[in-house]
Amino acid sequence: MADNDRTAATGGNDRPEVTIKFGKGLVGEPFTSKSGKQLVEVSIPNQSPNDHRPWQTFVVAPGMIHDNKFGKGVWMKLPEDGQTKVSRPVLQGQDETGKNVWSRESRMVPNTELKSMLEAYKEKSRDSVLSDLSSKQTAAAQTAPTAPKRAAHSKDASR
């Protein structure tokens, strides 16, 4: 009986889902596909700072992306056992006029891996940022110019 209530409450969807949270800046402008569907492109930042290739992207319906209650991020739910097509532009070379020729490299990624790719910023170590900040603060304190002392005015000198 309890399973039937839960199924009815969730709209008959008993499949486990993955909730992916990411920043609003990764969501592109909505566009209309060739088939007439409204879609939006989501960018996936490179996990390694040494990776200077273009970011990977995937496309979803804009209704799947919801604003976070704090206003700075968005979230979406995807089926845990599903897959999403992720693509990246790849430079093939240049044509005779010197213009770059691009193609797309695509692959299917499990949604659990997609979640780890989009939320890779959470695993970043913040130790180096904090140590850089503390070293900059101490350096700024040592090199800060001191204000020249003003001469004290006495009442007698002004008369």
Side-chain angles (χ1 to χ4, degrees):
M1 177 84 179
D3 286 339
N4 291 340
D5 291 341
R6 191 179 82 208
T7 304
T10 60
N13 188 4
D14 270 348
R15 294 172 41 174
E17 294 181 327
V18 175
T19 303
I20 304 173
K21 299 174 185 172
F22 51 96
K24 281 185 179 179
L26 298 178
V27 180
E29 293 295 320
F31 65 94
T32 305
S33 69
K34 291 179 184 176
S35 62
K37 293 182 181 179
Q38 278 289 110
L39 297 172
V40 66
E41 186 176 54
V42 179
S43 299
I44 305 170
N46 295 330
Q47 293 179 354
S48 170
N50 298 330
D51 188 1
H52 298 291
R53 297 179 297 171
W55 288 0
Q56 297 184 74
T57 60
F58 65 97
V59 178
V60 294
M64 294 178 67
I65 298 176
H66 308 283
D67 284 336
N68 192 349
K69 65 181 179 181
F70 302 111
K72 291 190 177 182
V74 292
W75 60 273
M76 64 184 288
K77 286 192 176 189
L78 294 172
E80 188 174 324
D81 58 348
Q83 291 187 338
T84 303
K85 184 178 181 181
V86 174
S87 62
R88 170 193 317 260
V90 177
L91 182 62
Q92 293 296 320
Q94 293 184 341
D95 61 4
E96 304 82 40
T97 61
K99 189 174 182 181
N100 289 342
V101 177
W102 294 88
S103 67
R104 291 198 85 68
E105 169 187 285
S106 299
R107 64 188 177 110
M108 294 301 285
V109 175
N111 290 340
T112 52
E113 185 180 335
L114 182 67
K115 176 183 171 86
S116 66
M117 291 166 64
L118 270 167
E119 295 182 354
Y121 68 92
K122 292 181 179 179
E123 280 86 41
K124 271 189 183 176
S125 173
R126 296 187 173 198
D127 295 336
S128 62
V129 174
L130 293 175
S131 65
D132 288 349
L133 181 63
S134 63
S135 66
K136 286 181 182 178
Q137 286 176 342
T138 55
Q142 292 173 355
T143 61
T146 56
K149 294 184 179 181
R150 294 185 176 180
H153 294 291
S154 65
K155 292 181 182 177
D156 294 333
S158 63
R159 291 186 190 179

